[in-house]
Amino acid sequence: MASKPIRVAISGGGLAGASLLRALIEFPHLDVHIFESAPAFKEAGLAIGVTRNAQAALDLMGPWGPELLKRAGAVPMRGVRFMIAQGEGQGEVIDEVDDMTAGTQQRLTSIVHRAAYLQELLADVPRERMHASKKLHKIDRNPDGTGPVTLHFADGTTHECDILIGADGIHSAVRKFILGDDPAASPRNTGFWLIMTLQPYAEARASIGGLVDSGDAREYSWIGRNNCVMHNLLSDGQLVQFVIASSDDEAKASDNWRRTVSADEIKKLYQDWPPQLMKAIDELLCKKPEHEGIYLWEHPSASTYVSGPLCVMGDAAHATTPWQGSGGGMSIEDSLILSTLLGRAKSLPEALAALKAYDQVRRPRTQRIVDSSRGTGVILLGKGEQTGLEMKKSGTLLRRWDFILDIDMQKHRDEAIRLMDAELAGGTTLG
């Protein structure tokens, strides 16, 4: 007699939840459903970078992984370059890497539009597995931790599951349920803020010049005095993402998520930058009298990502600043580990062991990335204690990415499997 399917519910229909859902539907013994609070499955924001560690995770999930990225119009960057924008070294290259190292090609990062990628992730998912307008309101569990989990939604409906995975973003309800009154349950304002715009390739190239080249796609980061500019290409080279950023130390103690930035403030912030960047900022951003900037928030390190049959992933587990381009990549890595472990679980005790192993292998890495990204942001705004703007070409800045990019994802996955097997051998899963 066949065993009962393991019922898995995913709360949150963004990139994290969708990538996990796409991976889990490969396993017929898992009855997986995804619930999104909005009326439709859609992504906010512009683009994400999928670095080579995340691409390796996609490879390990199956042929569909890299194929979906390609179908979404991801543009592989030929190189990444960091430049000095102000001061004595204006225009100098601080550090750079290209996709040819020691004569062999290596992947760096691919830039993909969030909405296009989400659409591709969900394209092959049976519609009956997807549920919109389902805002999670309450979670019920038996006091002794046994039995099913009941999800209560704001529209009055319920859903019963064996495993609940919170992919519900930085404001995660599932995280708060797991951590309770722990201060780490809520995110904090880092004081960094940014403004993003997407521009058609021809218009962006007319403003920025040869720094934007669809035939030689590269990501640039320009470092100034408490300001930064980043630009790259996406959507098969048809669009250019242009980002400006700064920081406001007073905002760290605030609950502000948005900041109104006038064109005059932008011009003042970038008044002595290289001419081609000043021209681009003026033409791409300053034609509007003001913009809505976004403050960057992050999660403090949590003591756990798991409580019994509940766990969090993606931004619900480790919301981070974007300075090292790793938020989306961490979600893809999470999806690899969770899908691998749950794919091996044929019973609820085994599924619970899978969640424990996921927490043990993913939490140290992801929390290190959150901390590293915050520190990288300080450097990229020219505020590093040891460097400021005195960063001659030393080849050291990019080393901050080494532990992120150069992980052996197959070994990482295998370590998670080893931890799950050890948990089951110890017989402590239900304790």
Side-chain angles (χ1 to χ4, degrees):
M1 180 172 149
S3 58
K4 291 173 57 178
I6 299 172
R7 300 170 298 174
V8 180
I10 302 171
S11 177
L15 290 180
S19 62
L20 178 61
L21 174 67
R22 181 61 186 80
L24 291 180
I25 62 171
E26 298 289 316
F27 300 99
H29 69 285
L30 299 177
D31 179 19
V32 191
H33 291 260
I34 191 167
F35 300 89
E36 165 58 32
S37 62
F41 286 78
K42 62 181 181 179
E43 259 292 340
L46 302 182
I48 62 165
V50 183
T51 45
R52 67 168 170 264
N53 52 296
Q55 292 179 49
L58 287 171
D59 292 342
L60 290 169
M61 281 191 272
W64 59 265
E67 177 60 28
L68 293 187
L69 195 62
K70 182 179 179 181
R71 275 170 27 194
V75 176
M77 294 293 102
R78 294 286 312 279
V80 176
R81 186 170 288 166
F82 294 89
M83 312 286 293
I84 284 288
Q86 290 178 298
E88 276 187 29
Q90 186 179 77
E92 290 183 1
V93 177
I94 302 166
D95 209 350
E96 65 179 324
V97 64
D98 62 33
D99 61 357
M100 295 297 293
T101 300
T104 60
Q105 191 163 26
Q106 66 170 352
R107 296 183 292 194
L108 296 175
T109 186
S110 290
I111 310 301
V112 64
H113 197 296
R114 285 176 171 270
Y117 190 35
L118 180 66
Q119 180 178 333
E120 294 301 334
L121 284 168
L122 296 174
D124 298 325
V125 174
R127 299 299 100 174
E128 64 270 17
R129 303 288 187 98
M130 299 167 53
H131 311 274
S133 297
K134 297 294 178 183
K135 181 176 177 59
L136 186 59
H137 174 65
K138 181 183 173 185
I139 303 168
D140 275 342
R141 291 175 60 193
N142 291 336
D144 62 0
T146 62
V149 177
T150 303
L151 312 182
H152 297 260
F153 300 105
D155 63 359
T157 60
T158 61
H159 179 81
E160 196 173 88
C161 62
D162 301 307
I163 299 293
L164 170 62
I165 299 171
D168 46 346
I170 195 168
H171 300 291
S172 173
V174 181
R175 181 185 180 94
K176 291 180 173 64
F177 193 91
I178 290 172
L179 295 177
D181 58 4
D182 185 330
S186 299
R188 61 190 175 198
N189 191 334
T190 64
F192 299 125
W193 60 266
L194 56 78
I195 296 170
M196 302 178 290
T197 182
L198 283 182
Q199 298 289 335
Y201 174 78
E203 292 181 24
R205 184 174 170 85
S207 292
I208 304 172
L211 295 173
V212 172
D213 183 354
S214 59
D216 186 32
R218 296 177 184 270
E219 180 172 279
Y220 279 81
S221 292
W222 296 81
I223 302 171
R225 297 186 182 93
N226 196 33
N227 49 23
C228 179
V229 163
M230 186 274 291
H231 53 84
N232 53 32
L233 291 94
L234 62 150
S235 298
D236 293 321
Q238 298 176 46
L239 293 174
V240 173
Q241 179 175 232
F242 191 81
V243 182
I244 67 169
S246 185
S247 69
D248 174 6
D249 288 340
E250 293 182 2
K252 291 181 181 179
S254 78
D255 293 328
N256 295 333
W257 289 83
R258 305 285 177 177
R259 171 193 178 99
T260 300
V261 186
S262 69
D264 288 341
E265 183 179 353
I266 293 172
K267 288 179 180 179
K268 184 176 180 181
L269 196 60
Y270 292 91
Q271 60 186 346
D272 55 350
W273 272 52
Q276 74 269 36
L277 269 300
M278 290 176 62
K279 177 176 183 288
I281 290 166
D282 184 58
E283 294 179 354
L284 301 180
L285 291 175
C286 294
K287 290 180 180 178
K288 290 177 60 177
E290 61 184 30
H291 287 267
E292 186 175 63
I294 303 169
Y295 279 110
L296 304 180
W297 288 60
E298 67 178 14
H299 274 138
S301 293
S303 58
T304 183
Y305 291 167
V306 171
S307 175
L310 277 58
C311 85
V312 284
M313 66 170 297
D315 283 352
H318 39 70
T320 186
T321 52
W323 302 108
Q324 290 189 280
S326 293
M330 285 194 286
S331 295
I332 293 169
E333 291 182 2
D334 288 348
S335 295
L336 169 67
I337 301 304
L338 276 170
S339 62
T340 297
L341 298 178
L342 289 173
R344 291 167 56 86
K346 299 302 189 292
S347 66
L348 181 55
E350 291 181 359
L352 296 176
L355 298 190
K356 284 190 175 183
Y358 158 79
D359 178 59
Q360 290 176 61
V361 79
R362 291 301 295 156
R363 187 159 40 86
R365 172 169 168 78
T366 54
Q367 291 178 349
R368 182 184 176 190
I369 292 174
V370 173
D371 292 341
S372 177
S373 179
R374 186 190 325 110
T376 301
V378 173
I379 294 170
L380 294 183
L381 289 179
K383 299 171 72 176
E385 288 185 10
Q386 305 299 321
T387 57
L389 283 176
E390 302 302 315
M391 292 183 282
K392 302 297 182 186
K393 186 175 174 89
S394 61
T396 59
L397 179 58
L398 278 164
R399 291 179 190 166
R400 296 184 65 88
W401 275 260
D402 286 352
F403 81 98
I404 300 174
L405 301 179
D406 294 337
I407 185 174
D408 185 324
M409 285 307 303
Q410 186 167 333
K411 287 184 178 179
H412 192 59
R413 179 200 63 186
D414 292 347
E415 173 64 7
I417 293 171
R418 186 194 68 78
L419 289 168
M420 178 179 170
D421 290 345
E423 176 68 24
L424 289 170
T428 59
T429 302
L430 294 175

